[in-house]
Amino acid sequence: MSDLSVAIVAGLHADARRATVARLLHDVPGSVVLHHDLATAAAGTVVRTVRDATGILDAGETPLVNDCACCALREDLVPELRRLAAAGQVRLAVVELWDSVEPKAMAEVITAGGLTVTAVITAVDPSLLLPYLGNGDDLAETGLAAAATDQRTVADTFARQLEYAPILAVLDSPDADDEDRELLGQLHPTARQVPLGGGDLPRSRSTQSGHDAPAHPAPPPRGDWVIPAPPPSDDPANPAPTPADAPTPPTPNPPGARGTARPAPTHPHSAHNPNHPPPTRHPAPPPRSVLARAALAGFDVEAAAAAQHPACALLPVEADAHGVTTLVWHRCRPFHPERLYAALEDITCAAARSRGRFWLADKPDSLLHWDAAGGALCVESAGPWLASLPDAAWELVPAVRRAAAALDWHPEHGDCCQHLVFTSPGLDRDGLELLLESCLLTDTEYAAGRSAWKRIPSAFDTLLEI
């Protein structure tokens, strides 16, 4: 549709998110920030602002859709981005998501609208990782719900924001220690971490998010939007222009001139000198900071979705450092549903974060998704295991899932397995493994076969909403 690049910046850590946005505005010439403030939903509207490094350019309101602020954001986001693209003056549109909005849905909406998402960035303050992962409060209780029916918790929302983004903008927080930084690395080992200095940009109207901006700003005409000058370089191999390279600003009339125009001196390369051609106009220089380059690097929406699907998720690997442990537990025997259900609380509370896929004996054909944070567990069906599908159906399955299944393929059970990952400071690894092992079928139960397994009383129907 256009050359407009769209970078999404998300995160419940609001200070880190705002610092990330401010840095992108500062470092990417021709960038603007689009923000929808969902905090105004109680009044029946969502407030939209567009700003650049100099301040507010435009502001407006959009009504709720089906009493849902997040739905209003979805409806308004793509038209606003298309308007920015049509103007032709914006190089990068930074979509700063409101606190609890998750980037996955917004990236898919923007891509479906024919626009190009070049990055998804989650801003993180490492010192707040554990408090947020341990916060089992409902978003509604903290004023962060995106809709009246929003039943998410702070912990699971933050976990998904963190794990979806391939880029983490990490605030240099003085309160963060080695354990915090190690926890971040183990939770999302494949992410690219980009350091973000704390407090290195002055607090001004250019660094305000939409909900800090004036209620009724007076935007200048759209034709007056100005691309800011390039910032100093932080890349030694690509230095910033020297002052001698910069254009000389025009000299204003002296005081008392009262409209009397003085003829400007003729520069040897000015348009008034017929012997020399006018200066060549060059495109805006490329962004020079690591964060700015990451924001324009490119993003694959389909690959990002596959990396979160329980059948082929890029789960963390075994690790143990600075008091933080990640346990990868993999078994090729199903759980006894009643014993697992009885142990859920102890298993869920054993780690700050756990996720993966699991296999119940009474539902041997169903791939089940395990997603736990903040002491709360979400269990849902993710469809059938590949081993349960007829051969003809395999061609309809994405190649990435077939490849993931091949890595875990068992000669008897195919891809049916337990693959759970637990990450936490102070993890009782041995105790957790013993507890998990006790929930598997015994040798006698296992030997009875699938027909007998299906007759075991079900314990997960309530959680699975069957």
Side-chain angles (χ1 to χ4, degrees):
M1 170 180 282
S2 74
D3 294 331
L4 178 69
S5 296
V6 181
I8 297 173
V9 178
L12 276 165
H13 296 172
D15 288 344
R17 190 184 70 238
R18 292 166 189 161
T20 302
V21 170
R23 173 51 65 190
L24 288 173
L25 277 181
H26 183 271
D27 290 353
V28 182
S31 60
V32 301
V33 175
L34 174 60
H35 177 72
H36 288 80
D37 187 355
L38 274 59
T40 59
T45 61
V46 170
V47 175
R48 174 212 322 118
T49 54
V50 179
R51 68 187 192 280
D52 66 4
T54 66
I56 298 291
L57 300 173
D58 188 26
E61 294 182 348
T62 183
L64 299 189
V65 176
N66 298 323
D67 198 31
C68 172
C70 200
C71 299
L73 164 59
R74 290 170 185 256
E75 293 288 330
D76 192 65
L77 182 58
V78 169
E80 280 299 306
L81 289 172
R82 285 176 173 165
R83 181 180 62 77
L84 291 173
Q89 296 174 302
V90 177
R91 179 184 186 187
L92 174 68
V94 180
V95 176
E96 182 193 356
L97 298 181
W98 188 71
D99 302 68
S100 69
V101 177
E102 296 183 26
K104 181 178 184 293
M106 295 303 109
E108 291 171 354
V109 165
I110 293 170
T111 302
L115 295 148
T116 303
V117 176
T118 54
V120 174
I121 303 168
T122 293
V124 183
D125 180 342
S127 69
L128 298 177
L129 273 177
L130 203 53
Y132 274 67
L133 281 176
N135 190 340
D137 292 343
D138 291 339
L139 291 175
E141 297 174 5
T142 58
L144 295 173
T149 56
D150 197 340
Q151 297 181 341
R152 296 173 298 156
T153 68
V154 172
D156 63 44
T157 301
F158 174 68
R160 284 190 293 271
Q161 289 177 336
L162 179 73
E163 293 156 3
Y164 179 76
I167 302 168
L168 302 179
V170 184
L171 192 66
D172 183 15
S173 170
D175 297 323
D177 57 20
D178 288 342
E179 181 181 281
D180 297 324
R181 288 182 279 271
E182 180 65 27
L183 178 59
L184 180 60
Q186 290 191 28
L187 286 169
H188 197 348
T190 62
R192 179 183 183 184
Q193 293 191 25
V194 180
L196 185 70
D200 57 350
L201 288 176
R203 175 74 175 177
S204 69
R205 62 177 181 155
S206 67
T207 64
Q208 291 173 341
S209 67
H211 48 279
D212 287 335
H216 299 286
R222 299 190 195 282
D224 293 343
W225 292 9
V226 178
I227 294 178
S233 172
D234 63 359
D235 186 349
N238 190 9
T242 62
D245 299 324
T248 304
T251 303
N253 287 339
R258 295 188 179 276
T260 303
R262 277 181 156 188
T266 302
H267 190 276
H269 296 290
S270 72
H272 298 287
N273 190 327
N275 298 320
H276 295 278
T280 302
R281 292 185 178 273
H282 298 284
R288 291 178 172 84
S289 75
V290 174
L291 181 64
R293 290 196 296 271
L296 294 164
F299 180 76
D300 188 329
V301 172
E302 292 185 2
Q308 298 303 305
H309 192 282
C312 46
L314 295 177
L315 297 172
V317 296
E318 288 269 349
D320 191 356
H322 298 293
V324 182
T325 300
T326 293
L327 165 66
V328 178
W329 192 74
H330 192 281
R331 297 292 184 273
C332 294
R333 181 175 293 199
F335 280 124
H336 188 287
E338 291 181 315
R339 289 200 294 273
L340 177 61
Y341 191 85
L344 281 183
E345 183 175 354
D346 290 338
I347 297 173
T348 300
C349 295
R353 176 70 170 141
S354 58
R355 53 190 172 123
R357 53 189 178 271
F358 69 106
W359 186 26
L360 284 178
D362 64 316
K363 297 176 176 58
D365 298 329
S366 297
L367 189 161
L368 301 174
H369 184 202
W370 178 288
D371 187 9
L377 171 67
C378 176
V379 172
E380 60 183 354
S381 175
W385 297 99
L386 288 192
S388 303
L389 295 176
D391 293 345
W394 279 49
E395 295 182 2
L396 303 177
V397 177
V400 65
R401 180 170 178 188
R402 296 198 301 270
L407 294 175
D408 280 340
W409 200 259
H410 185 276
E412 182 181 355
H413 304 303
D415 58 332
C416 303
C417 68
Q418 319 291 356
H419 189 167
L420 299 175
V421 177
F422 301 84
T423 299
S424 187
L427 185 72
D428 180 5
R429 181 190 182 100
D430 293 340
L432 179 56
E433 285 189 290
L434 285 173
L435 181 58
L436 290 166
E437 297 284 351
S438 72
C439 298
L440 294 173
L441 293 184
T442 64
D443 290 345
T444 301
E445 291 166 339
Y446 180 76
R450 288 194 171 217
S451 296
W453 301 351
K454 292 181 180 180
R455 293 195 296 270
I456 298 175
S458 180
F460 279 78
D461 288 355
T462 302
L463 286 177
L464 293 172
E465 299 180 354
I466 295 175

